[in-house]
Amino acid sequence: MIPRYTRAEMAAIWTPQSRFSIWLEIETHALNIMAELGLVPAEAAAALQARGGFDIERIDEIEREVKHDVIAFLTSVSEHVGEGARFIHQGMTSSDILDTCLNIQLVRACDMLLADIEQVQTALEKRAREHKNTIMIGRSHGIHAEPTTFGLKMAQAYAEFARNRTRLEAARKEIATCAISGAVGTFANIDPKVEQYVAEKMGLAVEPISTQIIPRDRHAMFFATLGVIASSIERLAVEIRHLQRTEVLEVEEYFAETQKGSSAMPHKRNPVLSENLTGLARLVRGWVVPALENVALWHERDISHSSVERIIAPDATVTLDFALVRLAHLIDTLIIYPDRMQENLNQLGGLIHSQRILLALTQAGLTREDAYRLVQQHAMSAWRGEGQFLSLLKADKQVSNTLDEKTLESLFDLNYHLAHVDIIFDRVFKEVD
């Protein structure tokens, strides 16, 4: 995490203060239920409840000596609690604290990411409705294809992020488990009721079967989902970058009056936010593979996953949070140029209507092969600048004998391509008449 790409709200989840506070809460709940079950003196639970605390500098000092973060934490807590502290962590292992805490942090991060996606969807829906019928050229392979609308582009992105929201909700459920099961997950030295109690208090589900750790396929699923969301961010960012190219210039990122685009060229207005989002998306996807590799651990546990998660958990969630919020702002403030879209629609002199003419000729009796040959012949002539597409078609006797002039001209109507936009919007936004 670096400040440039970090929002304070998400970063707060990953601070030492937050982590140790969660550890203390887990230990407190565990001791409380142990006392209720008669496994430890009630006075011990009361002491922890009343005087439980820690000192981060002291934890760091102890860890430098003992080389174990959980032991250092427990020692610091013991110094606050006193005599009753000897019952803290009874029958538990470090991973009971570490894994349950990590999942709590991931759940909290997930809740923020879900709110971020909602912001993105709000911005996309606003622009989709605003430009529902703003006609523009659709492109395949970067080449003019047939007309679409800018609203449909935004609606497509909205639907994609709706799927991402569903995926993230599933990933949240996947990761929201608790394990307080002891050294190898057998509950040999701790009652399963402790785990159940802590899970309920922390808003988690009980891990059905753990070893010394919560299985890492859950975490792999979580980070893979973040990777998919990052790819959706990049897909939209790349679209905006292409549409802002000087030769296209159908949309443009908002450019403030005091903003500078280049240290050398004062005229530059670059799509820097979209490019930044592309880079951030690459980072988030890059953390998916280490999460997948964490699944295969030795026997009941090793710690090869630990160093990975200390990095990717905060970094992936912080980076994706920043990217989603930036994307929402980018879409909300995006400048749209409908006139430029119209200019680009007209660039090829009507060639974008070639499929309609092909279909009309076949419906009028020509074979598909003959119709395709005729349309392509005149399309390529128009492409080479040898005449206007419509004029070339009108001059062809085989075409004019098949389609009258009025019918032929009607096939160049752009509004034809808007006929089913409402149906698509109804599907995406689930509108009810």
Side-chain angles (χ1 to χ4, degrees):
M1 296 183 294
I2 62 172
R4 188 180 185 92
Y5 304 124
T6 300
R7 295 200 317 134
E9 300 93 327
M10 181 64 84
I13 294 172
W14 302 105
T15 61
Q17 179 66 39
S18 174
R19 181 173 71 255
F20 294 136
S21 293
I22 295 170
W23 289 9
L24 182 60
E25 189 175 355
I26 293 168
E27 294 284 5
T28 302
H29 289 317
L31 200 59
N32 284 342
I33 187 61
M34 288 183 200
E36 284 187 30
L37 294 170
L39 303 174
V40 300
E43 294 79 10
L48 180 59
Q49 191 76 47
R51 298 192 295 277
F54 55 84
D55 182 274
I56 294 176
E57 290 185 5
R58 177 63 176 144
I59 293 171
D60 291 340
E61 177 187 358
I62 298 167
E63 187 177 359
R64 283 192 291 271
E65 177 183 347
V66 301
K67 315 299 184 190
H68 196 293
D69 54 355
V70 175
I71 290 175
F73 165 77
L74 292 171
T75 302
S76 177
V77 172
S78 296
E79 291 172 349
H80 285 76
V81 173
E83 171 63 20
R86 61 195 175 95
F87 295 101
I88 299 172
H89 203 68
Q90 193 149 97
M92 298 167 66
T93 189
S94 296
S95 292
D96 290 335
I97 305 305
L98 295 170
D99 281 12
T100 300
C101 174
L102 174 60
N103 283 6
I104 290 167
Q105 290 173 299
L106 290 175
V107 165
R108 292 176 182 177
C110 193
D111 288 340
M112 290 190 64
L113 294 173
L114 286 166
D116 295 343
I117 289 178
E118 187 173 347
Q119 285 188 49
V120 172
Q121 287 186 281
T122 297
L124 287 168
E125 182 174 3
K126 172 188 169 187
R127 303 321 296 269
R129 294 187 183 282
E130 180 184 352
H131 292 281
K132 181 178 181 179
N133 294 312
T134 301
I135 199 162
M136 64 183 297
I137 190 63
R139 298 170 173 89
S140 56
H141 307 277
I143 308 300
H144 284 204
E146 290 189 346
T148 184
T149 76
F150 188 72
L152 287 176
K153 281 186 182 286
M154 295 292 97
Q156 192 281 329
Y158 177 95
E160 186 169 347
F161 277 96
R163 293 191 296 274
N164 281 327
R165 182 181 181 85
T166 300
R167 293 179 185 119
L168 191 55
E169 287 169 346
R172 185 192 188 282
K173 184 176 180 181
E174 180 89 7
I175 206 66
T177 64
C178 165
I180 309 288
S181 55
V184 293
T186 61
F187 298 98
N189 295 299
I190 191 166
D191 193 311
K193 292 176 182 176
V194 175
E195 181 183 66
Q196 181 68 50
Y197 182 85
V198 173
E200 290 174 359
K201 286 294 185 180
M202 303 303 292
L204 302 173
V206 167
E207 182 62 48
I209 178 169
S210 54
T211 55
Q212 193 179 99
I213 60 166
I214 292 172
R216 257 43 194 183
D217 61 288
R218 293 185 180 277
H219 302 75
M221 168 66 176
F222 183 87
F223 288 104
T225 299
L226 301 193
V228 172
I229 296 169
S231 291
S232 294
I233 291 172
E234 184 177 13
R235 190 202 66 76
L236 188 50
V238 167
E239 178 71 15
I240 292 167
R241 290 168 61 190
H242 280 310
L243 295 180
Q244 187 168 333
R245 286 181 297 126
T246 304
E247 295 81 2
V248 179
L249 201 57
E250 294 176 347
V251 307
E252 185 181 26
E253 291 182 7
Y254 174 77
F255 196 87
E257 287 187 17
T258 57
Q259 190 171 336
K260 303 282 191 296
S262 166
S263 63
M265 297 168 283
H267 73 279
K268 294 298 291 296
R269 292 162 66 102
N270 303 325
V272 292
L273 299 180
S274 302
E275 291 171 341
N276 171 252
L277 290 173
T278 295
L280 295 177
R282 291 170 182 168
L283 286 173
V284 176
R285 285 197 303 273
W287 290 312
V288 175
V289 171
L292 292 170
E293 292 180 346
N294 275 354
V295 175
L297 302 176
W298 286 19
H299 305 299
E300 278 60 55
R301 186 222 180 180
D302 63 51
I303 65 163
S304 59
H305 66 289
S306 177
S307 56
V308 173
E309 289 168 355
R310 288 174 190 266
I311 295 170
I312 70 171
D315 283 4
T317 53
V318 165
T319 303
L320 188 61
D321 168 60
F322 182 89
L324 285 167
V325 172
R326 170 157 285 185
L327 178 63
H329 174 74
L330 169 59
I331 297 301
D332 194 49
T333 60
L334 193 67
I335 302 169
I336 318 298
Y337 296 117
D339 290 344
R340 181 64 175 174
M341 292 175 178
Q342 189 66 47
E343 288 177 26
N344 288 338
L345 273 168
N346 297 331
Q347 269 191 20
L348 296 184
L351 292 185
I352 58 177
H353 302 291
S354 67
Q355 182 179 188
R356 284 202 74 193
I357 299 157
L358 168 66
L359 295 176
L361 288 170
T362 59
Q363 289 164 2
L366 293 187
T367 66
R368 183 176 179 83
E369 291 74 18
D370 286 344
Y372 197 103
R373 175 183 53 78
L374 278 172
V375 175
Q376 187 179 46
Q377 173 190 332
H378 296 303
M380 293 305 101
S381 295
W383 190 284
R384 292 190 295 268
E386 297 170 1
Q388 290 294 311
F389 187 40
L390 179 57
S391 300
L392 292 167
L393 289 167
K394 286 180 177 180
D396 187 295
K397 288 190 176 180
Q398 190 172 6
V399 174
S400 60
N401 287 338
T402 307
L403 299 172
D404 61 62
E405 185 172 303
K406 185 177 180 181
T407 299
L408 197 55
E409 288 175 353
S410 72
L411 299 176
F412 283 71
D413 180 11
L414 287 171
N415 289 323
Y416 168 85
H417 298 275
L418 303 179
H420 302 299
V421 170
D422 285 343
I423 292 175
I424 299 171
F425 265 63
D426 287 348
R427 290 177 174 179
V428 171
F429 300 110
K430 297 179 174 56
E431 295 174 342
V432 179
D433 291 335

